[in-house]
Amino acid sequence: MIWSVIQNPRLGCNSFLVGDEVSGQGAVVDPLGQVGIEAYILEAHSLGMQIVEVLETHVHADHVSLAKDLARELSVPYRISRHAPVSMTEAHRLAEGMRLEYGALAMDVWETPGHTPDSLALVIRDLARGEAPWAVLTGDSLFVGDVGRPDLVDADEAAIKQATINQYHSIRRLMELPDWTELWPAHYGSSPCGGIFMNRRPQSTIGYERQFNPFIKLTDEEAFVKETLRFLKPPPQDAKEIRATNLSA
Ligand SMILES: [Fe+2]
C-alpha cells in the first residue's frame, strides 16, 4: 500500500496520502492550508500515486483546510460527512457504512460525532494482505493520550454536554478495533483541538490507548463527561473565523 504523512509541527497537524500500490490510486485526507497544494502533488508524484479524491474527517476549526482547493485543482471529488454544513454545492457526502476503495485498499467510513457533529473515522484495510483493520484515521475524536474537545461548534452548555456524550460513545466504538490497529489522529502535541493530556507523538495504537489513555479508562458515561469538561482548555481565539472559512465554498 501507499502511505505518507505530511505534518505541520507548529500546529500539531497530521495529513495523509493513502493508496494502493498496484492500481496507483489513492486519496489525500485532511490536507493542510499551510503546507500548500504543490507539496501534496509532488508527494503523490514521488509515491507514484494518482490522487482520485480528497477527504476530510471533519470541518476543522484550528487550521485552514486545503481540501476544497486541492480537489478543484486536480478536478477530483471533495468528500466530507453528510452532516457537515459546508456550502460547497459539489461536495460529495460520506456516511456511516460506506466503503471507499482504491484498488486493494479499503477505507470504511464510521460516523464518530462528538468533537463535531460531522466527525468521521476512516478504518483502513489492506485487502491484499487481509480483511482486518490495519490503521484508523480518527480525525479529532481519539488522540494519543487524549480525546477531542467537544466545544468548538457550540457555545451552549447543554449542546456541549450532548457533544461530550456523543464523543463517549464514539470512543467506545473505536475501542472495538483490534489492539494492533495503528491510530493516526488529525492532531498531536499542543494543538488547540485537544486537551492537556495530548501527546507530542503523532501516532499510537488502539491497544496502547486502551491501556494508557486516561479517558478510555473512564468506562462510565457520566464520569467521562465530567472529566472531559473539567480539563477543557480555553477555546482558541480564531476558531470561529477558521471554521467559517472552512465552511465556505
Ligand atoms: Fe478539529
Side-chain angles (χ1 to χ4, degrees), residues 58 115 140 193:
H58 66 293
H115 173 66
D140 292 5
C193 285

Side-chain angles (χ1 to χ4, degrees), residues 8-14 30-34 56-65 115-116 139-140 143 149 152-153 186-194 198 233 235-246:
N8 179 332
R10 193 177 67 77
L11 289 174
C13 298
N14 280 329
D30 287 336
L32 308 162
Q34 297 90 345
E56 285 204 287
T57 54
H58 66 293
V59 178
H60 298 279
D62 68 305
H63 67 271
V64 174
S65 163
H115 173 66
T116 60
D140 292 5
F143 291 134
R149 61 188 306 157
L152 294 185
V153 176
H187 297 296
Y188 59 96
S190 54
S191 160
C193 285
M198 187 153 66
K233 295 194 292 198
Q237 283 187 342
D238 49 358
K240 272 203 168 72
E241 294 93 81
I242 293 175
R243 194 175 142 77
T245 302
N246 289 338

